[in-house]
Amino acid sequence: MLLVPKCIIDDLHSKMSRTWWTSNEKTRGWAMMKWERMCYPNGMEGMGFRDMKLFNLALLGRQVWRLMQFKDTLCFRVLSSKYFPEGDILCSKSCDKPSYTWSSIVKATEFFKEGFVWLVGDGNTIDIPRDQW
């Protein structure tokens, strides 16, 4: 899974909105509702469309979760050997020319770090200078 560029997501949103509000592709329709409002669920006076940017981030977040949970996969072994040799995806080392796949995973990790919880456990994995207190 890769992070889709913003211009492509904007183009997809435009095409979805145009398809919804026009009868054919050649005429410009009159939008009855902003795209952000169309992405609200039906119960919140929206139309239930998916926001492609958030959906893309959710899929990348699932890949981050899989890298954290399943450490015996080929994907984990390949990525960890180059980008996070200690085995912790949240503590990756910086690299000069990372692959686009890894750059996408890092962006998703940064986005989801706000919702992560850090547990002390037995205290063996605490790194006082690096960990945020």
Side-chain angles (χ1 to χ4, degrees), residues 54-102:
L54 293 178
F55 187 64
N56 185 230
L57 280 173
L59 291 175
L60 281 169
R62 179 171 163 75
Q63 186 63 36
V64 170
W65 177 81
R66 288 183 59 81
L67 286 171
M68 292 171 79
Q69 296 296 318
F70 302 110
K71 298 186 185 223
D72 59 340
T73 61
L74 179 63
C75 182
F76 178 84
R77 285 186 270 161
V78 168
L79 291 175
S80 68
S81 67
K82 183 170 183 179
Y83 300 112
F84 52 102
E86 288 87 28
D88 186 11
I89 190 170
L90 299 177
C91 302
S92 60
K93 66 178 188 175
S94 61
C95 187
D96 289 337
K97 295 180 181 179
S99 67
Y100 192 70
T101 302
W102 179 247

Side-chain angles (χ1 to χ4, degrees), residues 94-122:
S94 61
C95 187
D96 289 337
K97 295 180 181 179
S99 67
Y100 192 70
T101 302
W102 179 247
S103 300
S104 300
I105 290 172
V106 166
K107 286 182 184 175
T109 304
E110 291 169 359
F111 183 77
F112 287 111
K113 266 188 184 178
E114 297 173 10
F116 289 162
V117 176
W118 184 56
L119 299 176
V120 173
D122 61 0

Side-chain angles (χ1 to χ4, degrees), residues 15 18-30:
K15 289 184 188 296
R18 186 176 303 134
T19 302
W20 183 255
W21 295 117
T22 61
S23 58
N24 61 19
E25 182 118 355
K26 296 183 182 181
T27 62
R28 182 175 168 93
W30 181 51

